[in-house]
Amino acid sequence: MAGKVFFSVSMSLDGFIAPESPSVANFFAPEKQDDPQVRRWMAQWTELQQWIFPQRFFRENLRLGEGGEEGLDNDIARQTYERTGASVMGKRMFDLGEQSWPEEAPFHTPVFVVTHTERDPWVRPGGTTFHFVNDGIERALEQAREAAGERDVRIAGGGATILEHLNAGLVDEFSITLSPVLFGSGTRLFDGVDASRIALEPIRSEPSPRVTHLTYAVRPR
């Protein structure tokens, strides 16, 4: 169990990792796609993530066909995937993903979902199996470390789950892809962070034509 625990997210310039959620339920359902709130959410989310869509690795991983861009953004997307031996995510992120991920989910490794709901493991084509953990983030992370072996564990999201791990001192490192967009409202990554316990050490800053990739080590204060 030599790997690190990390997270990697895209963030708007004003500090949001997701737009403000629509009030409609199941907003990925086909019948909801014409709702103005849903259209606005999708447009903002697409703008935030625009850097990843043209990359060769993204197209390969989602089986979208050949081609795509290569360069720093593509290298970082590929390196993030290759270092990850298992992931941890919250129930809300899983619920949204269950509606929107393709049949061959994009993780291709074990994923441990922190939830209060009991459910058998959900095996998907391509190597992704979702395991549902009912006894807290520490137990979910323990299982993820065992599954990852010497590779790293990624805290995939959402924001509340990332923050819970960060405040508990369970994160070794994180990367933010700073995207040149403004949301004004939404999900703030660091809203509620325990700054009295957390210190950050800059590791690297890597600008590309589309975004800036920032990486920090997490230290106890």
Side-chain angles (χ1 to χ4, degrees):
M1 298 192 298
K4 295 180 179 179
V5 177
F6 79 104
F7 65 85
S8 178
V9 296
S10 297
M11 179 185 287
S12 68
L13 279 175
D14 51 349
F16 298 97
I17 60 171
E20 188 171 0
S21 297
S23 58
V24 294
N26 299 319
F27 61 88
F28 281 118
E31 64 270 18
K32 303 295 186 181
Q33 299 309 297
D34 288 332
D35 185 287
Q37 293 181 358
V38 173
R39 290 204 307 269
R40 182 173 183 271
W41 190 96
M42 290 299 298
Q44 287 185 302
W45 183 85
T46 300
E47 194 175 12
L48 178 67
Q49 304 291 348
Q50 52 77 29
W51 70 276
I52 191 68
F53 300 133
Q55 306 308 320
R56 176 182 289 272
F57 172 76
F58 179 83
R59 295 182 57 81
E60 290 174 352
N61 194 34
L62 269 71
R63 307 291 192 265
L64 299 177
E66 298 180 355
E69 296 181 4
E70 298 187 14
L72 176 64
D73 292 338
N74 187 67
D75 291 344
I76 287 176
R78 187 180 297 278
Q79 290 163 8
T80 301
Y81 170 82
E82 290 177 346
R83 70 183 286 192
T84 302
S87 297
V88 175
M89 71 175 57
K91 181 63 161 55
R92 176 172 170 77
M93 180 178 179
F94 172 79
D95 287 344
L96 294 176
E98 188 176 18
Q99 301 173 52
S100 59
W101 289 319
E103 182 180 15
E104 187 173 321
F107 301 95
H108 309 294
T109 59
V111 179
F112 296 85
V113 182
V114 181
T115 178
H116 297 294
T117 304
E118 292 189 5
R119 178 172 171 176
D120 292 334
W122 189 38
V123 181
R124 310 304 296 150
T128 301
T129 298
F130 294 93
H131 302 270
F132 302 89
V133 184
N134 300 289
D135 44 0
I137 60 171
E138 289 85 359
R139 179 57 181 153
L141 184 57
E142 179 184 349
Q143 293 183 51
R145 283 186 178 276
E146 291 173 358
E150 294 186 357
R151 296 167 72 188
D152 296 338
V153 173
R154 181 179 184 180
I155 311 302
T161 300
I162 289 173
L163 186 64
E164 191 174 2
H165 283 80
L166 189 59
N167 281 340
L170 300 174
V171 175
D172 300 308
E173 182 180 296
F174 67 84
S175 296
I176 292 173
T177 296
L178 199 59
S179 188
V181 298
L182 300 171
F183 281 177
S185 62
T187 300
R188 286 191 183 276
L189 175 61
F190 296 115
D191 190 12
V193 69
D194 188 354
S196 66
R197 299 179 56 194
I198 297 168
L200 303 180
E201 177 185 331
I203 296 178
R204 56 186 171 270
S205 174
E206 300 170 289
S208 79
R210 287 192 173 90
V211 291
T212 300
H213 302 277
L214 306 171
T215 303
Y216 299 89
V218 181
R219 306 283 188 248
R221 186 180 292 279

